[in-house]
Amino acid sequence: MHNVDVGSSELAAGLEVSVNGKNSISLSDILEVVADDLQNLNKNLKSIIGAENQVLVSAAEQIFGAGGKRLRPALVFLASRATAEIAGLKELTTQHQRLAEIIEMIHTASLIHDDVLDDSGTRRGKKTIHQIYGTRVAVLAGDFMFAQSSWYLADLENLDIIKLISQVIKDFASGEIKQVSSFFDCNVTLEDYLLKSFYKTASLVAASTKSAAIFSRVSRNISEQMYEYGKNLGLSFQIVDDILDFTQPSVQLGKPAGSDLAKGNLTAPVIFALENDPKLRGIIDSEFSEDGSLEKAIELILKSGGINRAQTLAKEKAELAIKSLSCLPLSHYRSSLEEIVRYNLERID
């Protein structure tokens, strides 16, 4: 069983000072120290799909051509360079570079499958794979990318990392099953939510940063601290995304506000709100069968303090992530790892 701690409210205070009152943080500025690494990654991503099947080649062009922040491989590069300094490595190894490509392939495969499950029409402003090629091809394209990434993973010949990242792929499925099986379940607990969020989001981030440290050949303690950093950063990101589902305008979200709630996916703001407003339970139990009931539920969540408590939880996880970085020497790479945590919190600041 994964240990996903709910946290304590006192931890949030320290980070708030370092975030509030600052100008908006630019992610591109934060990642500037690994810009060359990311540029090389972008060149390699399409080529490692291979050219055996024209549909897969077209799908790869559609996926990787859509851009995106490439945050997960960026975290691999930052963690790799921050820990490589400890080991006295002047440059990243080919294992570090291949790891970043594998992580992005696994993440992209999971997005293709997520879009099928959610029947999403667009991703990063472009039509999704299943909208263009159909559900069958989309599922197979995702399967292919999982398989291809697994082949490259095995080629790295590091059993600890093979086990770690294979667990991530298992966690994706566990998280999706856990989510679907608890739709409209008002008895879902915060611990359930955090475990599902770990499976669906934080597991990959944690494995990415720990694997980067392992390839730098640092101590087990530092590798574990990098795992904790990734885990808590991933949880904080998911909590922030779930807050934005209620607070960000639909135009910015790219989907209607409260869309997760409409499907019965009860996230942190809803779980906290259910503790304070019993009327909300009845509306959710009805699965929004009456006109205007979804809008009424969103109104109750916004008034109940559920958003504020979720913000506190996101800050607690962020504080834990930053504390884990104390194992690293001061450097531009460590600073960027810290700034990514703050960048995430600025989205709800």
Side-chain angles (χ1 to χ4, degrees):
M1 176 65 71
H2 297 284
N3 180 21
V4 185
D5 184 25
V6 175
S8 60
S9 58
E10 291 84 0
L11 287 171
L15 194 64
E16 198 161 358
V17 176
S18 62
V19 174
N20 290 346
K22 291 182 69 173
N23 293 328
S24 181
I25 301 169
S26 162
L27 189 59
S28 60
D29 287 344
I30 296 170
L31 302 184
E32 181 61 33
V33 291
V34 290
D36 290 344
D37 294 323
L38 288 170
Q39 191 171 8
N40 289 331
L41 173 115
N42 286 333
K43 290 176 187 174
N44 293 338
L45 278 174
K46 293 175 192 175
S47 64
I48 61 178
I49 295 298
E52 297 173 20
N53 187 300
Q54 189 53 47
V55 173
L56 284 169
V57 171
S58 299
E61 180 68 37
Q62 179 72 8
I63 300 158
F64 297 129
K69 297 187 289 290
R70 301 275 190 262
L71 186 56
R72 286 155 190 82
L75 285 166
V76 171
F77 290 131
L78 289 170
S80 296
R81 291 195 175 277
T83 53
E85 289 191 343
I86 299 173
L89 297 176
K90 299 290 185 186
E91 284 299 329
L92 297 189
T93 66
T94 54
Q95 291 172 315
H96 285 125
Q97 293 162 347
R98 184 62 82 194
L99 173 65
E101 294 159 6
I102 290 167
I103 293 301
E104 183 66 1
M105 287 177 69
I106 290 172
H107 173 58
T108 303
S110 73
L111 293 183
I112 296 171
H113 284 174
D114 279 351
D115 287 340
V116 172
L117 290 168
D118 298 339
D119 196 22
S120 300
T122 59
R123 165 77 61 180
R124 297 166 184 160
K126 291 191 176 185
K127 280 190 174 181
T128 51
I129 299 301
H130 73 278
Q131 288 288 340
I132 299 172
Y133 301 104
T135 298
R136 186 187 298 268
V137 169
V139 171
L140 292 173
D143 289 347
F144 176 86
M145 291 185 72
F146 275 130
Q148 188 81 325
S149 63
S150 297
W151 188 91
Y152 280 110
L153 179 62
D155 199 43
L156 292 176
E157 297 184 341
N158 185 301
L159 189 56
D160 288 340
I161 290 177
I162 291 170
K163 288 179 179 178
L164 188 61
I165 297 179
S166 296
Q167 180 66 44
V168 169
I169 298 173
K170 177 184 171 185
D171 286 346
F172 280 147
S174 297
E176 200 62 49
I177 292 167
K178 194 169 182 62
Q179 178 170 291
V180 170
S181 63
S182 61
F183 278 167
F184 296 104
D185 180 4
C186 290
N187 294 317
V188 67
T189 65
L190 187 62
E191 288 81 2
D192 292 332
Y193 162 79
L194 287 172
L195 184 58
K196 178 202 72 176
S197 298
F198 173 81
Y199 285 151
K200 286 177 63 67
T201 303
S203 177
L204 178 61
V205 184
S208 301
T209 49
K210 180 177 179 178
S211 296
I214 291 173
F215 278 139
S216 294
R217 303 189 186 281
V218 293
S219 69
R220 181 177 293 274
N221 176 62
I222 293 175
S223 296
E224 288 302 325
Q225 288 301 307
M226 294 309 296
Y227 183 88
E228 289 300 308
Y229 167 80
K231 181 184 80 172
N232 286 298
L233 173 64
L235 289 173
S236 185
F237 253 97
Q238 186 59 59
I239 297 162
V240 168
D241 279 347
D242 292 337
I243 291 168
L244 292 175
D245 192 47
F246 292 100
T247 62
Q248 195 170 54
S250 298
V251 175
Q252 288 176 263
L253 275 175
K255 58 183 180 179
S259 59
D260 280 336
L261 178 61
K263 293 182 292 189
N265 181 21
L266 309 189
T267 57
V270 185
I271 293 167
F272 286 130
L274 280 165
E275 294 177 11
N276 296 335
D277 198 325
K279 295 192 294 293
L280 181 60
R281 177 180 288 266
I283 297 172
I284 293 173
D285 282 341
S286 74
E287 299 188 10
F288 311 116
S289 56
E290 296 182 13
D291 287 345
S293 57
L294 176 61
E295 291 73 16
K296 178 62 176 175
I298 293 172
E299 182 185 347
L300 291 175
I301 291 162
L302 293 173
K303 287 181 176 178
S304 70
I307 299 295
N308 290 338
R309 289 180 66 188
Q311 287 174 329
T312 298
L313 182 61
K315 290 174 182 177
E316 289 171 3
K317 297 304 176 187
E319 175 73 5
L320 289 171
I322 285 185
K323 282 188 173 184
S324 296
L325 295 177
S326 62
C327 67
L328 300 176
L330 294 174
S331 68
H332 291 305
Y333 307 114
R334 173 177 163 176
S335 294
S336 289
L337 289 168
E338 292 172 348
E339 287 299 303
I340 287 171
V341 179
R342 298 186 180 105
Y343 161 82
N344 176 50
L345 290 184
E346 276 210 346
R347 299 192 294 149
I348 53 170
D349 196 29

